[in-house]
Amino acid sequence: MGDWDHKNLINELVQGKDLARQLQISLNAPSSSQETREFLIQKIVDSFEKALSAINWNTGSPPLSGSPRSEDSEKDLKDQEHNASRKRKAMPRWTKQIRFKPGLGVEGPLDDGYSWRKYGQKDILGAKYPRGYYRCTHRNVQGCLATKQVQKSDEDPYVLEITYRGKHTCTQASNVNGASPSGTRENNKEPNPNLGAQQQNVQQSQELLMSLRAGLRILTQNLDTPAQPSFPPFYVPSNTKPENQAFLTPMIENNFAQSFNYPSYMSPATSGTTYFSISDPDGVNTCGANPTSGSQINDIISAANSPTVGSSFPLDQFQLDQNFTFDNTRFFS
DNA sequence: ATCATTTGACCGGC
DNA sequence: GCCGGTCAAATGAT
């Protein structure tokens, strides 16, 4: 078993354990739907399948399709393939909110380890900010139908609401070695292109965990005070075009890599719902950790454009927290 | 040259 | 007909 397989195996096992914990909590949460639970179960099965494949154990079925309890998933996938309209309702869908504030150091680009390609942007009725639409970069190559929507929160300019739809069905095969094969131009922005994607995720998650831990205290302090919309929440890197500098954006991305456990906090607006810290919220994505697309920054720029101009902050300094909802259950991390 | 983003057009559901 | 979501040609970035 190669080094990467070993790490991948550990990742999958840890992820499976965390997902099982989420399921346990979900089972005790009245607000959690059956769909949520089945989705978590499917993710657990996926993790085991991937773990087995990491040790070259032939499960006899491709990931995401062979488990006995995956009827819904299989149906979803078929819907995705054959029925675009029904698909949309059937596809698993979950929302994550990311809050960020200037003032804390977050080293390096934050990303979910998956590559996304923007395919649209719309002004949404009643929303202050446009919604960006993204799909998996590997859609054309592998038929991966995972998508996400990114929208800046009306209430708090420091919050991005990110809705994921569908599961990644692409595999790691195309990018398992981090360095892209000829032809594909994956992100050259990765901190260490020689690392495998999974390893990068671990590395990033560790950095992020530290950042989040460091930031949580201050964030908690600020929770009771409304964000100040009078100045831009993001700083635009120096190489950003001047016309975009009015639309400040964080160097953060939707998904924060892997496991981190630190105290949840309660939001007054969401008391009564279920809280727990989650690890690898992207565990729902079975698309192998992809080298991050360089589009992440621009994603947020367009998704979080703020019509304000003014003071700026170092790009690498943010305060972060996120919460995550799936169906009626809200998760905080 | 190739791939990503932008943005108006288009489509389907309600 | 409105609106959210997607397509695809034009444009931009590397």
Side-chain angles (χ1 to χ4, degrees):
Chain A
M1 178 165 43
D3 186 52
W4 182 86
D5 280 339
H6 184 255
K7 288 182 168 56
N8 193 30
L9 173 62
I10 293 173
N11 281 341
E12 292 301 333
L13 291 174
V14 168
Q15 179 175 300
K17 185 187 75 171
D18 290 339
L19 286 165
R21 279 186 179 155
Q22 293 181 30
L23 176 62
Q24 185 179 35
I25 293 171
S26 177
L27 290 171
N28 294 326
S31 61
S32 179
S33 72
Q34 181 68 16
E35 190 181 18
T36 300
R37 292 163 185 166
E38 291 184 359
F39 182 74
L40 288 169
I41 290 169
Q42 179 60 39
K43 294 312 302 176
I44 292 168
V45 172
D46 293 344
S47 284
F48 276 110
E49 285 179 341
K50 289 167 75 176
L52 288 170
S53 84
I55 57 174
N56 297 322
W57 182 280
N58 188 350
T59 61
S61 60
L64 292 171
S65 63
S67 64
R69 279 300 305 159
S70 64
E71 295 172 26
D72 287 348
S73 268
E74 290 184 25
K75 185 153 56 73
D76 288 348
L77 290 176
K78 284 177 181 171
D79 285 345
Q80 288 175 14
E81 290 168 5
H82 302 303
N83 191 328
S85 60
R86 283 174 53 207
K87 167 194 69 179
R88 199 163 299 145
K89 283 185 178 179
M91 279 203 294
R93 171 178 171 161
W94 61 102
T95 300
K96 190 157 61 174
Q97 292 184 350
I98 294 183
R99 184 190 187 85
F100 44 88
K101 292 195 176 189
L104 286 172
V106 174
E107 296 292 331
L110 301 176
D111 61 81
D112 54 7
Y114 305 98
S115 56
W116 301 93
R117 177 167 177 166
K118 188 171 187 176
Y119 65 87
Q121 177 170 308
K122 284 287 277 189
D123 288 324
I124 301 302
L125 202 70
K128 291 180 184 176
Y129 310 101
R131 176 181 300 167
Y133 298 88
Y134 303 82
R135 65 185 179 212
C136 178
T137 300
H138 303 105
R139 184 188 193 93
N140 294 332
V141 179
Q142 301 186 32
C144 178
L145 294 174
T147 63
K148 71 173 179 180
Q149 300 175 0
V150 179
Q151 187 166 18
K152 193 174 173 182
S153 168
D154 285 345
E155 297 83 21
D156 188 341
Y158 294 100
V159 170
L160 293 181
E161 296 173 351
I162 301 167
T163 299
Y164 294 87
R165 280 181 172 174
K167 294 188 282 189
H168 282 275
T169 57
C170 50
T171 67
Q172 293 180 340
S174 64
N175 46 53
V176 64
N177 288 326
S180 309
S182 61
T184 64
R185 186 177 62 89
E186 292 293 341
N187 62 17
N188 302 323
K189 292 183 171 183
E190 281 302 312
N192 187 345
N194 294 323
L195 291 176
Q198 293 283 340
Q199 191 170 348
Q200 287 178 11
N201 268 356
V202 171
Q203 189 178 57
Q204 288 184 3
S205 70
Q206 289 171 345
E207 293 172 357
L208 185 62
L209 174 57
M210 293 173 61
S211 301
L212 290 172
R213 278 177 169 151
L216 190 60
R217 281 168 291 167
I218 301 177
L219 176 63
T220 303
Q221 289 172 0
N222 292 340
L223 277 177
D224 294 333
T225 64
Q228 303 137 4
S230 57
F231 59 87
F234 314 124
Y235 177 73
V236 166
S238 57
N239 60 354
T240 303
K241 288 193 295 183
E243 59 264 30
N244 282 342
Q245 290 191 0
F247 310 116
L248 298 182
T249 218
M251 198 122 169
I252 73 174
E253 211 351 319
N254 32 30
N255 310 306
F256 300 130
Q258 311 277 324
S259 314
F260 38 96
N261 297 307
Y262 59 87
S264 310
Y265 64 87
M266 282 279 207
S267 165
T270 55
S271 59
T273 56
T274 303
Y275 306 85
F276 53 88
S277 60
I278 78 173
S279 59
D280 187 15
D282 306 309
V284 291
N285 293 333
T286 57
C287 175
N290 237 353
T292 306
S293 160
S295 66
Q296 305 284 9
I297 296 172
N298 288 335
D299 289 358
I300 302 303
I301 288 177
S302 51
N305 50 2
S306 162
T308 54
V309 180
S311 63
S312 57
F313 309 100
L315 182 57
D316 61 346
Q317 291 185 348
F318 297 100
Q319 196 165 8
L320 300 161
D321 89 298
Q322 63 176 334
N323 74 59
F324 166 87
T325 62
F326 182 76
D327 292 342
N328 296 323
T329 304
R330 178 168 304 204
F331 309 94
F332 283 84
S333 62

